Amino acid sequence: MSESTGPIAAPTSAGNPLLQAWTTPFETPPFTEIAPEHFLPAFEQAFADHAAEIAAITNDPTEPDFANTVTALERSGKLLNRVAAVFYDLVSAHSNPALLEIDKDVSLRMARHWNPIMMNAVLFGRIAALHDKRAELTLTSEERRLLERTYTRFHRSGAGLDDAAKKRMAEINERLAQLGTDFSHHLLGDEQDWFMEIGEGDYDGLPDSFVAAAKAAAEERGLPGRAVVTLSRSSVEPFLKMSSRRDLREKAYRAFIARGDNGNANDNNALIGEILGLREESAKLLGYPTFAAYRLEDSMAKTPEAVRGLLERVWKPARARAMADRDALQELVTEEGGNFKLAPWDWRFYAEKLRQRRANFDDAAIKPYLSLDNMIAAAFDTATRLFGVTFAERKDVPVWHPDVRVWEVKDEGGAHRGLFYGDYYARPSKRSGAWMTSLRDQQKLDGAVAPLIINVCNFSKGADGEPSLLSPDDARTLFHEFGHGLHGMMSDVTYPSLSGTSVFTDFVELPSQLYEHWQERPEVLQRFARHYQTGEPLPDDLLQRFIAARKFNQGFATVEFVSSALLDLEFHTQPAASVGDIRDFERRELDKIGMPEEIALRHRPTQFGHIFSGDHYASGYYSYMWSEVMDADAFGAFEEAGDIFDPKVAKRLRDDIYASGGSRDPEEAYIAFRGRPPEPDALLRRRGLLETPEAA
Ligand SMILES: [Zn+2]
């Protein structure tokens, strides 16, 4: 917010902490003072300020130049960013009915606010004039990139369309904003409504840690002394893996895959049809044949064909591996006297048995060594060894829930770098999944601004004062989100819109997935994987088996992912009118690729929040795999150096990948780090899909 152009906020700001200067440590949001009723007035003020700032740019009678147009845009909208960051953090991580109601208003108001800005002909005229003569301007490389990105953003939003098309585009954007919000509220609703109580007679196969977590989940739902399985992935998946009660597994599985598809008020089927139609219409208004063509033009992949090429290359060996595993699992069922055909709710259970037999290893044996605190310490220590940053817990920073923890991050010399918030436990007010976000992004346009970075996860809380014990998947998630967190924390750019994770979607998973590699290395596990009761380090043979077991069941994991990514691509390349009934479409497409019937999509359409809660990952779910091609290849740089903390490689990693945000072309940044483009087979090798099934 610029003081000269924004209206004076004093009269309405009285008593509204969102509109006042924050006097908290590091000027962080004063969460304990913020109430739902503060948001709408704060948003109104923020919209008005921002609109006035934009008007000042468009009304500027002087010739457009970089400073009065592009930099001025970068300076605008500070209040809006500040209010929105707090609001969306709460809506996702700690919502309540009042906030969810406000969210419906806000998403519509947001669309109505942004449409006239992104389609402002005068503003776009100024940006386009600069873009046309970019070769003659004296700009730094970051400024050149910023001009390019700004031009592209406006152009792709329809700023160059005629008035009738703009009007329609604005209507579409508003409606899509509403539909995306409804989609995620429905999903949250179905997830909150369902739970399955398990009595002591239902504990067969469940380890104590699972029962403790189920009791904690019951307590969160006001059922003290009882135990429930919930639709959080961190509850359902371990239950499917460990419960020997086939009937209960089936019940939990069916509820999990039916989210958003129950024919109740939370049903998402109709929303999907409408979303696809509107996305296609907007792509056509902008001159693209399909939404995927539009969306992918602004990515590393560039075209739907390139995405399909990668996914199909992985699909074949993954499916072959999964089919071989399926036969082995069926054999195990029969061998144990089971007189049934392997069903989807059996896969995880028998895969775990097979893993225990083949690798003599099970998750329950390792969990006591993976306490949440130890894994946080491991993630921090890895960052210290790679980048020199240190972490010290702060108890004086306000948070949105008592379970949230905050650490101050300092550079090697002790200079303040930012804050890191960790919100790790599942609770009913939190949406499912795990994510990184920020309350404030790094930039230094008008003096250094330190980032406030958040990680949110859904780990099961330990009951009765016991520590939270992570599964190997949870530990990997923790490192993954922390890798995103470092991308935000290590950011070193001038302009806010190029900060940290403001990169292509198919590049953004590189810093996160790459970070997972350290979690599974003996150098890290030997130090940090210690028994939560005895402090004993992870026994060496268990550690070796743990590492070997990583490649186990990769056929299944790859199949459930790639099938979801292919479905996402089909949704956005086929004509929306031909999609028809969503369940039929899903069935048709899965039949086409020969989806094993014992494996479900990782996300069925009605619960595919990545692609329908907003358009960020729409026809972009493949991005994880695109980034994986790079991360598998990138970690090789450390292996080749013979030290997973090699200082020279770590320095390049910091400079070229973690610090540069969106200030460089991603392909160029990758090649600067690695010295060459990524080599795709590294991904298949890492997943063990190049080996013959028997060798697994
Ligand atoms: Zn990620």
Side-chain angles (χ1 to χ4, degrees), residues 106 185 477 666:
V106 169
H185 288 187
T477 298

Side-chain angles (χ1 to χ4, degrees), residues 434-436 480-481 484 508-510 512-513 516 617 624:
W435 61 94
M436 167 271 189
H480 178 100
E481 297 309 330
H484 282 308
V508 80
E509 300 301 331
L510 168 61
S512 53
Q513 292 179 172
E516 294 172 19
Y617 277 89
Y624 294 92

Side-chain angles (χ1 to χ4, degrees), residues 89-406:
D89 174 46
L90 293 179
V91 165
S92 312
H94 195 37
S95 69
N96 57 47
L99 278 175
L100 292 178
E101 204 47 46
I102 295 167
D103 188 25
K104 286 187 190 168
D105 276 350
V106 169
S107 59
L108 185 60
R109 287 286 290 113
M110 276 285 196
R112 287 198 176 146
H113 172 72
W114 280 104
N115 276 331
I117 297 174
M118 296 312 293
M119 294 183 216
N120 185 314
V122 179
L123 185 57
F124 184 56
R126 294 178 72 97
I127 296 164
L130 290 168
H131 187 252
D132 285 348
K133 57 172 186 185
R134 60 193 181 281
E136 300 141 45
L137 303 174
T138 314
L139 301 174
T140 65
S141 64
E142 184 178 341
E143 285 165 351
R144 257 200 316 279
R145 176 85 182 158
L146 178 63
L147 175 56
E148 191 62 48
R149 294 306 301 154
T150 307
Y151 173 81
T152 303
R153 199 152 44 95
F154 276 79
H155 175 69
R156 288 173 53 81
S157 299
L161 296 176
D162 66 36
D163 286 348
K166 276 186 189 172
K167 184 166 171 283
R168 180 60 191 145
M169 195 74 159
E171 287 166 4
I172 292 173
N173 290 343
E174 279 184 21
R175 184 67 188 144
L176 281 174
Q178 278 178 314
L179 291 167
T181 309
D182 287 348
F183 188 96
S184 62
H185 288 187
H186 286 174
L187 196 51
L188 183 66
D190 263 9
E191 285 171 1
Q192 282 174 337
D193 287 351
W194 191 93
F195 59 83
M196 179 173 76
E197 185 168 355
I198 45 174
E200 276 189 39
D202 307 324
Y203 292 175
D204 289 357
L206 302 175
D208 293 347
S209 60
F210 183 90
V211 174
K215 286 182 174 166
E219 187 141 358
E220 289 268 5
R221 279 164 177 74
L223 302 167
R226 292 151 76 180
V228 300
V229 178
T230 74
L231 290 185
S232 163
R233 202 177 272 279
S234 63
S235 177
V236 169
E237 287 189 353
F239 184 77
L240 291 174
K241 192 189 264 184
M242 296 177 300
S243 171
S244 39
R245 285 283 297 276
R246 192 166 190 249
D247 57 332
L248 298 182
R249 287 202 310 266
E250 179 175 358
K251 198 172 160 193
Y253 171 84
R254 287 192 186 280
F256 191 62
I257 63 153
R259 288 169 300 147
D261 191 20
N262 287 308
N264 58 13
N266 290 327
D267 195 283
N268 274 332
N269 281 293
L271 269 56
I272 294 173
E274 195 180 348
I275 290 171
L276 294 174
L278 292 171
R279 281 181 182 161
E280 181 184 75
E281 190 184 346
S282 76
K284 288 192 164 154
L285 283 172
L286 291 162
Y288 297 85
T290 63
F291 181 80
Y294 161 72
R295 174 65 183 68
L296 293 169
E297 186 193 62
D298 202 36
S299 71
M300 286 186 85
K302 303 280 184 267
T303 64
E305 292 67 38
V307 172
R308 188 170 282 116
L310 171 67
L311 294 175
E312 283 176 353
R313 178 168 180 182
V314 178
W315 175 254
K316 252 186 107 176
R319 183 176 177 278
R321 166 59 52 78
M323 297 305 253
D325 285 347
R326 181 197 61 183
D327 295 344
L329 298 180
Q330 183 66 58
E331 245 173 67
L332 191 55
V333 169
T334 313
E335 197 187 303
E336 291 197 339
N339 186 21
F340 56 85
K341 189 172 161 301
L342 189 82
W345 49 90
D346 298 320
W347 189 293
R348 285 184 171 84
F349 180 73
Y350 286 96
E352 184 61 17
K353 282 198 166 193
L354 190 63
R355 174 160 78 165
Q356 287 177 30
R357 177 182 294 194
R358 279 189 189 165
N360 190 19
F361 172 86
D362 73 292
D363 275 8
I366 198 170
K367 280 185 91 163
Y369 296 90
L370 303 179
S371 74
L372 174 60
D373 279 355
N374 284 356
M375 288 302 102
I376 292 172
F380 286 177
D381 182 71
T382 299
T384 305
R385 295 178 72 175
L386 288 171
F387 306 133
V389 287
T390 54
F391 301 81
E393 187 156 11
R394 301 278 306 217
K395 301 281 190 185
D396 56 344
V397 176
V399 292
W400 53 94
H401 185 279
D403 286 342
V404 180
R405 297 170 70 184
V406 183

Side-chain angles (χ1 to χ4, degrees), residues 436-452:
M436 167 271 189
T437 183
S438 68
L439 291 166
R440 191 164 69 210
D441 292 330
Q442 180 277 333
Q443 54 140 314
K444 49 190 178 191
L445 183 52
D446 298 303
V449 171
L452 307 176

